[in-house]
């Protein structure tokens, strides 16, 4: 009789979050990315990593749903999977998972189901770092944004990016170290590495992965859905073919009324002597229409998803800030800009003398992509004809990067 050895590795998959910020009407782990839930996607990748006991920590009352996902993903490894109810905090949920581990487990990885697209290679790197003699290991990515320290809505200092890294999961530890750290914890920590560090241990880092982003907001969910839709190998159904994604076209439009403060900003240019457009940012209808067209083409939502009034950092921002961030979002999702065409409808300002300048500024902000700008009046018709504001219509082509 063959006896299957008990794994020396365990993965606790934390799936007990309520998903308040996601606002999808269900606990976050049970929100669908495609026909499968976040949890199912996360488990598919966990099961492609080295063999391990898998303990899923589900919201109380949803254990059955979690088990259904787990058994469907596990196939012939279903004996390795179990589900327990989570606690009132993430730390309490991980503690519940620790209590369910088998006695032979030596290395414990704690993974957030919300990081549903984390590649198996990240698990392998974390395990290898602990196997090499480390107390624990955390996957990280360098911080690429400029970071500011803010107090009372004012910037008080810059933060050196070279000293910062963004932590991801899975975070892996020797079991004895993690058990002891949880037994001695006297406060809640944001992640397991912080808890272990507070217990006096040094935790190593390994290379993370851009696909290990955490799905927290509706914009994150749109990004995950777009990635899975365009790249079938990221989908749970591994039997799907993997065709090269075709180029995609998107349409965007934006309208702003005159009546803002300061000078007019339009098509990335300042127009001295012209009345300003009102808006959350600088009211640049041309730039905003381009953003909407690009996001639409890439399946990444719309400008309100990423730059709405709930993003105060874009208050008063100009075209370059919007377009460079949009370019980054496209790149992260596997797209690059093919070309953009935008038409401005307004009686003022007169574009003809500055068309080439506007195209150059917009193209630079989009990494050198071709941008063409045309302008027309509406023969006195509508709000633009009456001189009340500006409208812009854009079409964008994106291609696989």
């Amino acid at each position: 009789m063959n006896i299957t050895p008990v794994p020396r590795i365990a993965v606790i998959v934390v799936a007990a979050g309520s998903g308040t910020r996601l606002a999808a009407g269900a606990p976050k782990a049970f929100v669908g990315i495609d026909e499968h839930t976040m949890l199912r996607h996360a488990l598919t990748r966990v099961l492609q990593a080295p063999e391990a006991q898998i303990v899923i920590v589900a919201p109380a009352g949803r254990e059955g749903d979690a088990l259904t996902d787990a058994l469907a993903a596990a196939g012939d490894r279903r004996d390795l999977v179990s589900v327990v109810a989570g606690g009132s905090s993430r730390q309490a949920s991980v503690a519940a998972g620790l209590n369910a581990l088998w006695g032979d487990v030596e290395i414990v990885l704690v993974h957030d189901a919300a990081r549903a697209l984390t590649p198996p290679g990240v698990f392998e790197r974390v395990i290898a770092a602990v196997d090499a003699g480390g107390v624990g290991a955390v996957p990280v990515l360098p911080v690429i944004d400029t970071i500011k320290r803010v107090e009372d809505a004012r910037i008080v200092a810059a933060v050196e990016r070279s000293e910062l890294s963004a932590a991801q999961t899975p975070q892996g530890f020797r079991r004895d170290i993690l058990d002891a750290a949880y037994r001695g914890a006297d406060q809640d920590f944001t992640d397991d590495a912080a808890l272990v560090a507070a217990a006096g241990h040094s935790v190593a880092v390994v290379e993370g992965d851009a696909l290990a982003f955490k799905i927290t907001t509706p914009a994150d969910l749109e990004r995950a859905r777009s990635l899975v839709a365009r790249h079938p190998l990221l989908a749970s159904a591994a039997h799907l073919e993997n065709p090269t994604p075709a180029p995609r076209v998107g349409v965007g439009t934006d309208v702003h009324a005159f009546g803002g403060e300061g000078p007019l900003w339009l098509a990335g240019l300042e127009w001295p002597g012209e009345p300003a457009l009102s808006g959350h940012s600088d009211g640049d209808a041309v730039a905003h229409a381009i953003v909407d067209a690009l996001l639409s083409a890439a399946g990444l939502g719309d400008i309100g998803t990423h730059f709405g009034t709930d993003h105060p950092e874009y208050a008063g921002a100009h075209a370059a800030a919007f377009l460079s961030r949009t370019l980054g979002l496209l790149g992260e999702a596997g797209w690059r800009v093919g070309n953009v065409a935008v038409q401005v409808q307004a009686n003022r300002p007169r574009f003809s003398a500055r068309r080439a300048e506007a195209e150059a500024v917009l193209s630079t902000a989009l990494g050198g992509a071709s941008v063409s700008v045309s302008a027309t009046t509406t023969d006195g018709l509508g709000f633009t004809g009456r001189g009340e504001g500006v409208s812009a219509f854009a079409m964008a082509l994106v291609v696989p990067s």
Side-chain angles (χ1 to χ4, degrees), residues 14 56 91 155 181 222 373 388:
V14 185
I56 302 154
Q91 197 160 307
I155 295 173
E222 288 283 351
V373 181
E388 296 172 0

Side-chain angles (χ1 to χ4, degrees), residues 41-134:
H41 276 276
L43 291 173
T44 297
R45 288 148 181 81
V46 171
L47 286 155
Q48 291 170 356
E51 186 169 279
Q53 179 193 4
I54 301 169
V55 178
I56 302 154
V57 187
R62 298 297 296 266
E63 297 93 333
D65 296 324
L67 185 60
T68 297
D69 268 347
L71 296 180
D76 60 3
R77 295 171 69 177
R78 57 200 301 142
D79 290 344
L80 298 176
V81 175
S82 61
V83 178
V84 299
S88 58
S89 67
R90 184 185 187 279
Q91 197 160 307
S93 293
V94 176
L98 286 170
N99 289 335
L101 298 185
W102 295 332
D104 291 341
V105 168
E106 300 171 359
I107 296 175
V108 181
L109 275 62
V110 182
H111 183 51
D112 292 334
R115 297 185 187 272
L117 303 185
T118 302
V122 180
F123 293 81
E124 294 166 2
R125 291 195 287 272
V126 171
I127 293 168
V130 181
D131 262 338

Side-chain angles (χ1 to χ4, degrees), residues 297-397:
L300 295 174
D302 55 28
I303 192 169
T305 303
H306 301 276
F307 304 98
T309 55
D310 56 338
H311 292 273
E313 65 271 26
Y314 291 105
H318 297 310
F322 283 83
L323 295 175
S324 62
R325 177 56 182 152
T326 301
L327 188 66
L329 290 170
L330 264 61
E332 293 168 7
W335 296 100
R336 63 181 176 85
V337 181
N339 72 289
V340 176
V342 59
Q343 183 187 73
V344 188
Q345 292 188 356
N347 282 352
R348 60 187 305 181
R350 297 293 183 180
F351 254 86
S352 57
R354 302 189 72 185
R355 178 180 290 110
E357 184 184 359
E359 290 174 344
V361 166
L362 296 170
S363 175
T364 298
L366 288 176
S370 174
V371 178
S372 61
V373 181
S374 63
T376 184
T377 64
T378 54
D379 291 331
L381 299 176
F383 79 94
T384 55
R386 294 190 298 272
E388 296 172 0
V390 172
S391 65
F393 301 87
M395 292 192 67
L397 173 72

